[in-house]
Amino acid sequence: MKSSQPIICLSSFFHTSFLCTVGLVIFLNTITISVSDNGNETDTLALLSFKSMITLDPNGVLSSWNTSLHFCDWSGISCGKKHQRVTIVNLTSQGLTGSLSPHLGNLSFLYELRLGNNSFEGSIPNELGHLSRLRVLALFRNKLYGIIPTNLSGCINLEEIRLSNNKLIGNIPTEISFLSKLTYLSINYNNLTGGISPFLGNITLMEVFSVANNSFGGSIPDTLGRWKNLREFYVGTCNLHGTIPDSLFNNTLLTRFSVANNQIQGSIPIAIGSMLPNLVYFQLRGNQMTGVLPPSISNCSKLQFLEISYNQFSGKVAVDFGNMRDLVNVSLGVNLYGSWEADEMKFIDSLKNCSMLETLALYDCRFQGVLPISIGYLSDQLQTLELSDNKLYGEIPSSIGNLVNVGTLSLEYNQFTGKIPSTIGKLQNLQVVALHHNQLSGPIPDEIGNLSLLTKLMLSSNRLEGNIPSSLGNFLQILQLSLDDNKLSGNIPKQLFQLSSLTIVLNLSQNSLSGSIPPEVGHLKSLNELDLSYNNLSGSIPSSLGACTSLSSISLERNLFQGIIPPSFSSLRGVVHLDLSNNNFLGKIPQFLEQFSLEYMNLSFNNFEGEVPIKGVFANASAFSFFGNNRLCGGLVNFGLPKCKEAQKHKKRLPLFVKIILISFILISVVLFGLLSYVFILRKKKRKDQVSQLSSLEKRFLKVSYNQLLKVTDGFSENNLIGKGGFSSVYKGTLDQEDSFVAVKVLHLQNRGAHKSFLSECEAWRSIRHRNLLKIITSCSSVDFQGNDFKALVYEFMPNGSLHDWLHSRAIASRLNFLQKINIFINIASAIDYLHNHCLPTVVHGDLKPSNILLDDDMVAHVGDFGLARFLGTDVNQNISTGVKGTIGYAPPEYGVGSEMTSNGDVYSFGILLLEVMTGKRPTDDIFSEGFSLHKFACDALPDHVIDIIDDSAIDMQNTEANARKMEECLASTIKIGVSCSLDSPTQRMNIEIVVHELQHILDVLQNM
């Protein structure tokens, strides 16, 4: 055959030159084939060359590739019956590592090359262009880099190209447009640029075009409208602008269409229903589209997924959804709807015919009016109903009790009035009920206690009255119970204090509750925050409260409590916020409070008496308040309290001659002691420093000098250096002979902003306290041995380093699994929630990133580095508000245009951090440029392709099929949180309280797998 090709050309003298050229191309494409009479040798050598470049074969799939077997019997190899030549190489998902051999180009009879879902590195060999018979090229989900070879155009029979989830760069070669048989092109999740070429429109047989999550830029070419066989079209997160060509909407075979997360403008064609009658999946979310949702879309009777949220659609929703019986998800959230017409919400009536509906998301749409009764006649498959952040008013229809499978009911931030319908008790699958910030009145229905699966009940900021039903004690899985800011009265049912599942918060503040705290409070052993403030509660604090050892915040202020602080409080060593002010407490202030890690304590306006301790929080005037206790004495001198009477009385009882004798004796003793010990005084001082055994880190370093820090860090040795940044260096130090470690952060005062960073961090640590915040032991403001200013902070040492180390350091061999990651996210989110919603004033961290998240012995995460922190509503640190705002990649976009720091900025940083942990990609990686970001990378994977972007360490491939499905759902839910937190619009980002809950739900699912 080799010799016949040039003969054909030479004997075609009377044929056209075009045919000669074709013959020559075919000849050139085959010259790499062996000249052996038997092509078997060629195939054998090509396959063995491929095997030689494999560095890891965990499943031993290539163990059969040896000369003792014919290659047609090798694993993953299929041959043609006639010529016994290799026609298929299929090694998909075998865990192979290595690079691709160029000798694969010698498999001249190859029809299919399937090497997807492995770890191949390097470039795609140009020699693959010699495979003229190749129909399927599947190299997806590897680590291939470089460009897409232009000479793939030589594979003239190619029907499918699958190169997604690699690291390919450059553009889509124009030469691919020569592949006239191509029907499937998938190159999503790469680093491609250069726009979408108009020449691709020449591939008239195209059926699936998937190029999402690249950095193409440009617009969608009108020429793609030539694809009359097009069924699926995915260009989400490609930094595209302009409008969607009308010609694309004329592809009547189109079933799935996604342009999510670009800067697409324009509107949806009015006649879309007749233009795309086969549409199943329609995703426009995250663009700048305007206009109305055309009523004709109701003719898309096969539509299952409609997501047009996060745009600027407006006007009245006048769609008759009755014909769209297969709808599963309707997401219209964050748009500008609103017609001011009385029947604005009437479209919900037609949704009752959608028997498959699982999600109805209409949040933040500017809808107003009454919620129709038909809301209760939606699909019995409905799982999520989100109507929050609108202007809905009137009563919540009692028909809502028909939605028996709803797990999330989100109606917060509206203007609902009337009572909570008792029918809500029928929703046995409810896990989250969010009705806060409305104008609901009347009692909490007793039937709500039937919701045994509830994890979060939020009824705050309404006008609810009457007693708290004891039936709430049935919430055996509850994590957060917030009934604050209402008009509730009566005693607190003891059943509430028996909810041992409560871990986040029990908030009953700002009501008119009376009675005492029952001893059952001791069951709340896992609770983080207890807030009973601003009520009429009385009696003594039960000693059983001391059993709640997970508490970090206790707020009992503005009540009628009396008696002493019980000795059992000594067990609450995790408490960092304690407010007992404005009560009738009496007795002495317990000395054991000196040993606590308290960052804030308010004992003002009680009847405490006796001596004020002087250590721990009592040594910090800004963290400790005692006003209105007129019988206190002692304490630090700057408190201005009188000396304690007991000491004065004792002195008056001594006769004058006894005083003279004692004073004389003391003077003589001091002189003699000084003469005897003068020579040894320095040695004695040194030894005393070494052997001093104090009970806590606070006691050791209440006052620390430059020399002491110089000593514990071995002279700030490079061997002890564990981190370095723009403002500081961090050293590990040994405190004593027991090898107790601390971290010493030394400020680089010569760098601009370092001094302000020091002041900001010191101020932050005076105001915040939480178990997931890195604990500061003390600060040092001194001079060094050269007389220069020296400032340092001493922290508890985190032996497992930073989250950044676990993600990107080669020194750490193991990686975090998914369960560990979720726990870390919960730790961080809980700390942020505390800073934003439970601190007075609110604290904005300003620099959340993996390097500022430190891990202790138990892999519990602690948020550190408050050098850029800001206090909202105060004058504190106003002078640095116009300076550095966070770190590139983690700082929200609004900071880059001069906006002030806000809590929404922290939420953005948390979202980026979460996505980095889940995907293993830094937000500043080279692939993220020209509008393509980590946020967009993750967003376009939702909801069906999340598994493609997840860092492999997060996935346990040994799960059962059922667990694998749950795992994928958990992964998708986690990515959704990260995407929702990192939206460009600050007001559209997910509330951090919701984040904590959603993460806890994911954790519960994982733990039950």
Side-chain angles (χ1 to χ4, degrees):
M1 179 176 177
K2 285 179 172 242
S3 59
S4 66
Q5 293 297 338
I7 291 173
I8 290 173
C9 269
L10 293 173
S11 65
S12 300
F13 178 80
F14 297 104
H15 289 77
T16 65
S17 59
F18 173 78
L19 292 177
C20 256
T21 303
V22 171
L24 181 60
V25 168
I26 295 174
F27 170 69
L28 292 174
N29 282 339
T30 57
I31 60 174
T32 58
I33 300 176
S34 171
V35 295
S36 170
D37 291 335
N38 187 349
N40 287 347
E41 181 182 351
T42 301
D43 288 2
T44 301
L45 293 176
L47 292 175
L48 290 177
S49 174
F50 170 80
K51 178 182 179 180
S52 70
M53 298 181 72
I54 301 300
T55 58
L56 181 63
D57 177 15
N59 299 326
V61 68
L62 302 183
S63 60
S64 63
W65 288 32
N66 56 67
T67 54
S68 63
L69 286 175
H70 190 275
F71 60 76
C72 290
D73 296 322
W74 293 357
S75 296
I77 302 299
S78 298
C79 293
K81 294 181 179 179
K82 182 177 180 180
H83 299 290
Q84 287 291 290
R85 301 290 299 277
V86 176
T87 57
I88 298 176
V89 175
N90 187 353
L91 297 172
T92 306
S93 302
Q94 295 296 333
L96 299 174
T97 298
S99 55
L100 299 179
S101 170
H103 292 281
L104 287 171
N106 290 338
L107 299 173
S108 56
F109 279 76
L110 194 64
Y111 290 164
E112 298 181 13
L113 179 60
R114 298 182 181 273
L115 302 176
N117 197 26
N118 286 289
S119 296
F120 288 107
E121 298 179 332
S123 59
I124 300 174
N126 288 322
E127 288 77 4
L128 295 186
H130 300 154
L131 302 175
S132 60
R133 291 183 172 89
L134 193 66
R135 297 173 185 171
V136 177
L137 176 63
L139 305 177
F140 61 91
R141 206 170 187 212
N142 280 286
K143 299 177 181 178
L144 299 170
Y145 51 80
I147 64 171
I148 300 173
T150 58
N151 64 348
L152 283 182
S153 59
C155 304
I156 57 176
N157 286 296
L158 261 180
E159 298 173 4
E160 297 183 17
I161 298 178
R162 300 172 182 256
L163 303 178
S164 62
N165 295 89
N166 280 287
K167 302 177 181 179
L168 301 173
I169 60 173
N171 54 16
I172 303 175
T174 303
E175 289 79 0
I176 284 183
S177 64
F178 301 155
L179 300 175
S180 60
K181 297 182 180 180
L182 194 64
T183 64
Y184 192 111
L185 177 61
S186 174
I187 51 176
N188 48 299
Y189 293 101
N190 278 286
N191 308 322
L192 299 173
T193 56
I196 299 174
S197 172
F199 292 104
L200 293 173
N202 295 331
I203 310 174
T204 56
L205 297 181
M206 185 71 74
E207 296 180 9
V208 176
F209 184 67
S210 180
V211 298
N213 289 87
N214 282 285
S215 300
F216 289 122
S219 59
I220 303 174
D222 183 70
T223 55
L224 304 191
R226 301 172 186 168
W227 295 341
K228 300 308 178 184
N229 294 321
L230 187 65
R231 293 183 291 106
E232 300 182 21
F233 184 76
Y234 306 97
V235 295
T237 316
C238 285
N239 194 27
L240 301 174
H241 55 78
T243 61
I244 301 171
D246 292 339
S247 57
L248 265 180
F249 287 114
N250 288 322
N251 291 315
T252 57
L253 297 179
L254 195 63
T255 61
R256 302 176 72 84
F257 185 85
S258 173
V259 296
N261 303 302
N262 286 290
Q263 291 89 47
I264 300 295
Q265 298 177 333
S267 58
I268 302 173
I270 296 299
I272 188 172
S274 58
M275 300 166 77
L276 300 177
N278 293 299
L279 200 59
V280 173
Y281 183 99
F282 192 48
Q283 185 183 50
L284 305 179
R285 69 162 284 156
N287 281 287
Q288 301 167 17
M289 300 190 70
T290 56
V292 300
L293 178 60
S296 71
I297 201 171
S298 61
N299 293 327
C300 300
S301 58
K302 300 177 182 179
L303 195 62
Q304 299 176 11
F305 187 96
L306 174 62
E307 185 178 27
I308 60 175
S309 51
Y310 295 97
N311 276 284
Q312 300 172 32
F313 292 113
S314 58
K316 186 177 181 179
V317 177
V319 177
D320 182 358
F321 292 98
N323 295 328
M324 306 160 74
R325 296 176 180 273
D326 293 335
L327 273 175
V328 174
N329 185 311
V330 176
S331 297
L332 311 182
V334 195
N335 275 292
L336 306 176
Y337 300 113
S339 63
W340 299 88
E341 297 181 18
D343 62 346
E344 185 170 285
M345 304 302 293
K346 186 175 177 57
F347 69 91
I348 289 180
D349 293 349
S350 63
L351 281 166
K352 63 186 179 184
N353 292 329
C354 305
S355 59
M356 308 295 290
L357 191 64
E358 296 179 1
T359 297
L360 179 59
L362 307 177
Y363 54 89
D364 199 3
C365 285
R366 299 191 180 183
F367 286 130
Q368 59 180 353
V370 175
L371 193 60
I373 295 175
S374 58
I375 194 73
Y377 298 100
L378 299 181
S379 165
D380 58 7
Q381 302 298 311
L382 193 67
Q383 299 174 16
T384 301
L385 178 59
E386 296 183 334
L387 299 172
S388 63
D389 292 274
N390 283 293
K391 298 179 181 179
L392 302 176
Y393 53 81
E395 296 188 356
I396 299 173
S398 60
S399 61
I400 207 166
N402 297 327
L403 304 176
V404 293
N405 278 307
V406 167
T408 298
L409 179 62
S410 176
L411 305 179
E412 71 271 21
Y413 289 97
N414 278 289
Q415 300 167 18
F416 287 116
T417 56
K419 298 180 180 180
I420 299 173
S422 60
T423 54
I424 198 172
K426 297 179 180 180
L427 307 182
Q428 301 275 321
N429 290 302
L430 266 179
Q431 298 177 36
V432 178
V433 174
L435 303 179
H436 51 290
H437 289 273
N438 279 286
Q439 300 172 29
L440 297 170
S441 58
I444 300 173
D446 192 65
E447 291 82 358
I448 207 169
N450 295 333
L451 308 178
S452 58
L453 299 180
L454 208 60
T455 60
K456 200 166 189 177
L457 176 61
M458 295 172 288
L459 304 179
S460 307
S461 299
N462 280 287
R463 300 171 182 175
L464 300 172
E465 56 192 15
N467 295 338
I468 299 174
S470 60
S471 62
L472 301 194
N474 297 331
F475 297 156
L476 300 182
Q477 298 185 38
I478 196 75
L479 304 173
Q480 176 174 347
L481 181 58
S482 298
L483 308 179
D484 51 293
D485 193 15
N486 279 288
K487 299 179 180 180
L488 300 171
S489 58
N491 294 345
I492 304 173
K494 65 180 182 181
Q495 290 85 352
L496 259 63
F497 294 108
Q498 294 174 322
L499 296 173
S500 58
S501 62
L502 275 170
T503 56
I504 301 175
V505 63
L506 173 59
N507 193 342
L508 307 179
S509 66
Q510 301 182 67
N511 281 289
S512 299
L513 299 171
S514 57
S516 59
I517 302 176
E520 285 79 5
V521 69
H523 291 281
L524 304 179
K525 291 180 170 58
S526 300
L527 186 64
N528 181 263
E529 180 180 339
L530 175 65
D531 193 345
L532 304 178
S533 61
Y534 290 85
N535 279 289
N536 299 315
L537 299 171
S538 57
S540 301
I541 300 178
S543 60
S544 57
L545 185 58
C548 305
T549 53
S550 294
L551 279 171
S552 67
S553 178
I554 302 175
S555 299
L556 304 179
E557 70 268 23
R558 299 279 179 176
N559 278 287
L560 304 172
F561 289 118
Q562 56 192 24
I564 64 170
I565 298 176
S568 63
F569 257 45
S570 60
S571 301
L572 304 179
R573 292 187 172 268
V575 172
V576 293
H577 175 103
L578 177 62
D579 196 335
L580 306 179
S581 62
N582 291 277
N583 279 284
N584 297 311
F585 290 113
L586 49 78
K588 293 186 176 182
I589 299 174
Q591 195 108 15
F592 58 72
L593 292 174
E594 287 183 321
Q595 314 302 321
F596 280 29
S597 301
L598 283 162
E599 299 291 343
Y600 175 81
M601 181 169 65
N602 192 347
L603 304 180
S604 298
F605 300 102
N606 281 286
N607 298 311
F608 290 111
E609 61 183 43
E611 187 171 9
V612 175
I614 60 173
K615 298 178 181 178
V617 70
F618 300 100
N620 187 345
S622 64
F624 167 54
S625 180
F626 59 88
F627 301 109
N629 292 277
N630 298 326
R631 290 185 287 178
L632 289 174
C633 62
L636 296 179
V637 174
N638 58 351
F639 284 174
L641 292 174
K643 294 182 179 180
C644 294
K645 294 179 180 179
E646 291 79 7
Q648 293 174 352
K649 236 186 225 186
H650 179 70
K651 290 180 181 178
K652 290 179 181 179
R653 290 176 180 171
L654 291 175
L656 180 59
F657 76 92
V658 174
K659 291 181 181 180
I660 294 172
I661 294 174
L662 287 174
I663 291 173
S664 301
F665 178 79
I666 291 171
L667 289 174
I668 294 171
S669 298
V670 168
V671 173
L672 289 174
F673 183 80
L675 291 173
L676 292 173
S677 62
Y678 176 78
V679 177
F680 305 102
I681 189 167
L682 293 178
R683 185 190 303 174
K684 183 176 183 181
K685 182 179 183 299
K686 180 177 179 181
R687 182 182 178 189
K688 181 179 180 181
D689 288 341
Q690 293 176 338
V691 302
S692 176
Q693 300 296 318
L694 300 176
S695 62
S696 70
L697 295 179
E698 291 89 338
K699 282 187 172 182
R700 282 189 188 97
F701 275 83
L702 281 176
K703 294 181 180 179
V704 66
S705 67
Y706 168 81
N707 288 332
Q708 287 173 298
L709 294 183
L710 189 69
K711 175 184 175 183
V712 303
T713 61
D714 193 21
F716 302 116
S717 166
E718 287 290 327
N719 293 332
N720 285 354
L721 183 67
I722 57 177
K724 192 170 184 178
F727 289 160
S728 62
S729 295
V730 183
Y731 298 85
K732 181 172 71 172
T734 306
L735 280 180
D736 51 36
Q737 295 174 346
E738 299 176 356
D739 290 332
S740 297
F741 292 109
V742 292
V744 181
K745 180 178 180 179
V746 178
L747 277 295
H748 301 159
L749 295 178
Q750 71 276 14
N751 292 353
R752 184 179 180 183
H755 179 74
K756 292 179 181 178
S757 174
F758 174 79
L759 295 179
S760 178
E761 193 149 14
C762 288
E763 185 62 35
W765 288 117
R766 293 190 184 100
S767 307
I768 57 177
R769 58 217 65 85
H770 191 275
R771 61 183 176 182
N772 294 122
L773 296 176
L774 186 62
K775 175 183 167 186
I776 189 171
I777 298 170
T778 189
S779 62
C780 174
S781 184
S782 181
V783 293
D784 63 16
F785 69 94
Q786 295 177 334
N788 299 315
D789 285 342
F790 175 82
K791 297 187 184 302
L793 296 160
V794 182
Y795 298 93
E796 57 181 335
F797 179 69
M798 295 285 110
N800 274 317
S802 73
L803 182 57
H804 178 275
D805 297 336
W806 284 84
L807 296 178
H808 305 301
S809 175
R810 295 182 179 178
I812 297 180
S814 60
R815 287 291 176 256
L816 299 168
N817 60 41
F818 189 26
L819 189 62
Q820 288 175 312
K821 291 179 179 181
I822 291 297
N823 275 303
I824 288 171
F825 295 152
I826 291 175
N827 296 154
I828 301 169
S830 297
I832 300 171
D833 180 35
Y834 166 77
L835 294 174
H836 292 178
N837 301 314
H838 305 286
C839 276
L840 288 176
T842 295
V843 179
V844 177
H845 183 278
D847 198 19
L848 287 171
K849 56 185 177 181
S851 58
N852 286 340
I853 307 301
L854 303 177
L855 304 171
D856 65 16
D857 278 319
D858 300 318
M859 295 300 288
V860 174
H862 300 257
V863 178
D865 196 343
F866 279 73
L868 298 181
R870 178 181 172 89
F871 297 79
L872 300 187
T874 74
D875 293 330
V876 177
N877 290 344
Q878 295 295 315
N879 59 333
I880 65 169
S881 64
T882 58
V884 178
K885 296 179 181 177
T887 300
I888 293 175
Y890 304 93
E894 64 267 21
Y895 288 6
V897 294
S899 296
E900 293 293 330
M901 290 172 60
T902 66
S903 54
N904 286 327
D906 280 354
V907 174
Y908 178 92
S909 302
F910 172 77
I912 295 298
L913 179 150
L914 181 149
L915 295 178
E916 178 176 355
V917 173
M918 293 302 296
T919 65
K921 296 183 181 294
R922 296 179 175 93
T924 54
D925 280 355
D926 292 341
I927 65 170
F928 302 127
S929 61
E930 299 180 2
F932 181 50
S933 64
L934 178 57
H935 168 87
K936 290 186 175 183
F937 174 72
C939 185
D940 208 60
L942 293 170
D944 301 324
H945 301 285
V946 168
I947 198 73
D948 296 332
I949 67 168
I950 296 298
D951 177 45
D952 292 339
S953 62
I955 307 172
D956 181 3
M957 302 306 292
Q958 303 302 316
N959 282 324
T960 64
E961 183 177 351
N963 280 349
R965 285 196 301 269
K966 289 183 180 179
M967 173 68 78
E968 289 189 19
E969 291 172 0
C970 288
L971 291 170
S973 297
T974 305
I975 292 296
K976 184 178 180 181
I977 291 171
V979 168
S980 299
C981 288
S982 57
L983 294 167
D984 281 352
S985 173
T987 60
Q988 294 172 1
R989 293 168 194 156
M990 183 179 281
N991 187 293
I992 195 63
E993 291 180 318
I994 302 297
V995 171
V996 175
H997 163 72
E998 295 296 330
L999 288 170
Q1000 187 62 53
H1001 175 67
I1002 294 169
L1003 178 62
D1004 292 342
V1005 174
L1006 292 174
Q1007 291 176 333
N1008 291 325
M1009 285 172 57

